[in-house]
Each structure stands twice: as structure tokens, then as C-alpha cells.
């Protein structure tokens, strides 16, 4: 089963600190920077990725959908928030979707529909890690290091719903 990562664009851009200089040109630059980072993530993980941006107050002729470097970009229609677009996409995708948003309402709604929700801060750490390891993989290594995978500590099993969400999030 393939994973579809649906991202609240401005929410993640804010978490990454790309929206510090907020203005017309800076906003477009932040979107481009975010898409560039996600393209490197996609190269490392090969998930289907859709980024949804708010275009609620943009003129109708400016709302468009693009694909940049394999990342699908979707703008919310005139008069609708990106949150409602994300919720609808998650309802359609159900178990295949992982939604990246720190908005509590979005997270609760998508989890009720069967999709997994991950906060922007958690995805940020996974994004940086994937980009780092993708860049490190290009550098040849002289010695391979063995990593021990044995469990340590007492056994603990979380609730089934939490385990399913965690398993989906591990695919990121």
C-alpha cells in the first residue's frame, strides 16, 4: 500500500522558519524553498506528496494546481480554507493518507476518517533527517558500522490505534 503524504503548506513552512519575512515575494520564495526541500525528501523516500496552500483570498483566476519536481501543489479554491481541502483529501484516501499539520482540528478530523496525523514539528525532524541521509548516501564510506537492533528495557505495548498511527508515521 502506497503512502500519500498530504501537507498543510503554510503550517509546515512556518514550522521550518521559512515565513520569517512575510510578504508577496517572500511568500513565493518560501513556497519554492519548501517545495525544494520536499523534492529532496521525495527523492529519499519516494512517497506521493501533495502540498495544500491557502488561497482563500486570492482572486479566482490565480488559484491553480501545479506539479514541481514530483511534488503536487494544490491551492484551496476561492472562499475555502486549505484545512477543508486537506480534510476532504484525507476522507478520500483514508488509511493511505498521512496528514502533516499542527492544527488540532485538522488532526482530529483526519484521524476520525482513518488517516494518520503528524505534527509539523515531528515531520520537520523526519524531513531534515531524510535529507541528511540522502546527501550522506552520495558520499562513499570506507567502513560500514554495524547497528545493534536488539530491544532494551521492559516491554510495553501501546494501544492499537496508537500503534497503527505510529506505524504509518514510521513510513515517513
Amino acid at each position: 500500500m502506497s503512502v500519500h503524504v498530504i501537507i498543510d503548506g503554510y503550517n509546515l513552512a512556518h514550522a521550518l522558519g521559512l515565513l520569517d519575512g512575510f510578504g508577496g515575494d517572500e511568500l513565493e520564495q518560501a513556497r519554492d524553498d519548501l517545495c525544494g526541500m520536499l523534492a529532496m525528501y521525495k527523492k529519499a523516500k519516494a512517497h506521493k506528496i501533495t502540498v495544500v496552500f491557502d488561497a482563500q483570498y486570492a482572486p479566482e483566476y490565480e488559484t491553480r494546481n501545479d506539479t514541481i519536481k514530483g511534488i503536487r501543489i494544490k491551492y484551496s479554491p476561492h472562499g475555502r480554507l486549505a484545512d477543508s481541502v486537506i480534510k476532504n483529501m484525507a476522507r478520500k484516501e483514508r488509511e493511505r493518507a498521512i496528514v502533516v499539520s499542527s492544527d488540532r482540528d485538522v488532526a482530529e478530523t483526519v484521524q476520525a476518517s482513518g488517516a494518520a496525523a503528524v505534527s509539523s514539528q515531528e515531520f520537520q525532524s523526519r524531513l531534515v533527517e531524510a535529507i541528511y541521509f540522502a546527501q550522506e548516501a552520495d558520499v562513499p564510506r570506507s567502513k560500514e558500522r554495524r547497528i545493534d537492533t536488539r530491544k532494551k528495557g521492559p516491554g510495553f505495548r501501546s494501544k492499537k490505534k496508537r500503534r497503527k498511527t505510529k506505524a504509518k508515521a514510521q513510513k515517513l
Side-chain angles (χ1 to χ4, degrees), residues 1-2 5 33 42 73 81 83 87 90-91 95 102 117-118:
M1 177 169 65
S2 65
V5 182
D33 291 346
K42 183 175 176 61
I73 311 295
L81 290 172
D83 295 354
K87 291 174 189 177
R91 264 188 223 108
E95 289 84 21
S102 293
V118 176

Side-chain angles (χ1 to χ4, degrees), residues 8-40:
D8 186 347
Y10 291 131
N11 192 296
L12 182 59
H14 181 68
L16 290 169
L18 298 174
L19 292 177
D20 292 340
F22 190 79
D25 293 337
E26 291 86 6
L27 194 59
E28 189 171 336
Q29 183 63 43
R31 285 193 300 256
D32 291 343
D33 291 346
L34 178 64
C35 291
M37 292 176 76
L38 291 173
M40 290 192 304

